[in-house]
Amino acid sequence: MDKFKQINKVKDIYANGGNIIKYLKSLNKKDQNTIEDILISYDFQSGSYIKGFSENREYKDKYSTALAKVIERLGSFDSILEAGIGEATTLYSLLDKLTRIPPNIFGFDISWSRLKFAKKFLADFDFTDVTLFTTNLFEIPLLDNSIDIVYTSHSIEPNGGREEDAIRELYRIAGRYVILLEPSYEFADKVSRDRMKEHGYVTKLYATAKGLGYNIIEHRLFDYSLNPLNPTGIMIIEKKPSDFNRPNLRCPVSLTELNSYNGFLLYSKDSCLAYPIIENIPCLIKENSILATHLLTNYDEYKVKNNIFFK
């Protein structure tokens, strides 16, 4: 996380309305955005999506109504996850439009600050049973085939060049469908395509999914796009696994069971890694982990077992 050393500079850029990710990307001298670039940029922007929602709720209602119709055509489901949930403005609007709310609802983001806003925002509308957690899009702490419907809404967007890594990971955890609402390079004009490349956006989602042999059952322009220069496409991938797993949070390194420890940590006995919980939000990015091989060791029992006595 070398770019965390740039936080003071980023504060100034943000305060003056500058483009954080453009500045951070310039330090790489590469066209692609790094995970650090994305994390820092979005964390500083936390709260802006809720503000945008309050100012243009009509658009979000239309967007989510169209998405709800797509999802309900796919049949019944018991679990759903939004990857890159941000401040949960899309998730809330979607839940509000569904005729049946599934019992298991998940959302993750790389930015803890965005999830802090998301948790409060969802509570404003009495959605308090949503499991939110921080993680990396490419190392999701869930088992294979554990979430019926996995969807994104412009969250893969800034990860140009890593389309295959993103799609593989989302497909891995999905039990039935992956729905991608992302910039549509295939349906964009030249001006929009050039802009996508300039910003380091994804440009090969459809080609990648097709190349992986996934069953793409729908691919088209979505009904609504907020920015005409960044048209939203929808791609639906169907999956038919032979078995399913429970949608429980796992250690992102070992994908082994996590247990609560004193209410402020999640711990994996198998990997010996502990993860902090901040304001009831588990932080499950592997870089947040603490190696704690003796977290569960009782000191007094250890002394007795090893014949250690002090006068």
Side-chain angles (χ1 to χ4, degrees):
M1 295 294 183
D2 289 341
K3 289 185 180 176
F4 280 14
K5 298 174 183 177
Q6 301 289 328
I7 292 299
N8 285 332
K9 174 66 175 178
V10 171
K11 285 181 181 178
D12 291 337
I13 293 172
Y14 183 69
N16 291 292
N19 188 316
I20 295 174
I21 206 163
K22 184 177 181 180
Y23 165 71
L24 293 172
K25 189 166 66 171
S26 71
L27 302 177
N28 308 332
K29 297 181 180 178
K30 294 181 180 179
D31 293 331
Q32 292 183 359
N33 302 316
T34 69
I35 289 176
E36 270 185 292
D37 298 343
I38 295 165
L39 167 58
I40 295 170
S41 176
Y42 281 128
D43 206 77
F44 268 89
Q45 295 176 52
S46 298
S48 62
Y49 282 73
I50 291 174
K51 184 175 184 293
F53 172 86
S54 69
E55 295 171 346
N56 192 7
R57 187 166 179 176
E58 182 180 357
Y59 170 79
K60 185 62 76 172
D61 284 343
K62 290 178 180 178
Y63 183 92
S64 299
T65 296
L67 176 56
K69 289 179 180 178
V70 167
I71 289 175
E72 292 190 330
R73 286 202 306 266
L74 301 176
S76 61
F77 58 98
D78 291 326
S79 56
I80 191 168
L81 175 145
E82 181 176 341
I85 191 175
E87 294 155 35
T89 55
T90 298
L91 178 65
Y92 156 68
S93 299
L94 173 63
L95 296 176
D96 187 53
K97 303 299 182 298
L98 291 173
T99 56
R100 174 184 172 272
I101 297 175
N104 301 294
I105 307 168
F106 295 81
F108 72 76
D109 202 272
I110 194 171
S111 163
W112 181 88
S113 295
R114 296 184 89 191
L115 293 181
K116 175 182 178 177
F117 278 91
K119 197 170 189 68
K120 298 294 186 181
F121 175 75
L122 289 169
D124 282 341
F125 300 96
D126 297 322
F127 286 105
T128 57
D129 293 330
V130 179
T131 300
L132 301 178
F133 56 99
T134 70
T135 196
N136 184 327
L137 173 64
F138 307 103
E139 295 167 316
I140 303 172
L142 290 163
L143 292 178
D144 299 0
N145 315 324
S146 58
I147 304 291
D148 288 335
I149 294 178
V150 175
Y151 78 92
T152 69
S153 181
H154 286 260
S155 53
I156 304 179
E157 178 178 281
N159 293 283
R162 300 199 66 184
E163 288 89 343
E164 181 171 341
D165 294 337
I167 292 178
R168 279 186 181 275
E169 186 66 351
L170 295 171
Y171 187 83
R172 179 186 69 77
I173 67 168
R176 296 181 57 215
Y177 295 97
V178 176
I179 302 173
L180 303 180
L181 291 165
E182 297 292 339
S184 178
Y185 189 79
E186 294 81 10
F187 299 118
D189 59 24
K190 185 180 185 305
V191 174
S192 299
R193 288 185 175 191
D194 290 344
R195 180 180 180 276
M196 290 177 189
K197 290 178 179 178
E198 179 187 353
H199 287 285
Y201 289 175
V202 290
T203 60
K204 302 175 183 176
L205 287 177
Y206 177 73
T208 299
K210 188 174 181 181
L212 290 169
Y214 294 163
N215 182 24
I216 302 169
I217 62 173
E218 189 169 338
H219 180 230
R220 59 176 172 84
L221 272 175
F222 192 52
D223 308 71
Y224 300 95
S225 292
L226 186 61
N227 183 353
L229 291 176
N230 194 31
T232 303
I234 182 170
M235 179 166 61
I236 304 176
I237 301 169
E238 185 178 28
K239 182 179 178 183
K240 295 181 179 180
S242 58
D243 61 337
F244 296 86
N245 287 300
R246 291 179 59 82
N248 296 330
L249 294 179
R250 296 281 173 151
C251 168
V253 175
S254 62
L255 290 182
T256 51
E257 185 179 6
L258 289 169
N259 294 291
S260 178
Y261 182 83
N262 286 349
F264 60 85
L265 285 177
L266 289 175
Y267 184 65
S268 166
K269 294 179 181 178
D270 297 270
S271 67
C272 299
L273 295 174
Y275 299 87
I277 302 172
I278 304 175
E279 293 191 17
N280 294 318
I281 300 171
C283 300
L284 299 179
I285 298 173
K286 70 178 182 182
E287 286 80 6
N288 298 146
S289 65
I290 303 161
L291 180 60
T293 56
H294 286 284
L295 181 68
L296 305 181
T297 298
N298 182 291
Y299 178 64
D300 293 329
E301 292 177 358
Y302 174 81
K303 288 193 296 182
V304 172
K305 182 179 179 181
N306 289 276
N307 296 314
I308 299 172
F309 301 98
F310 304 110
K311 292 184 179 180

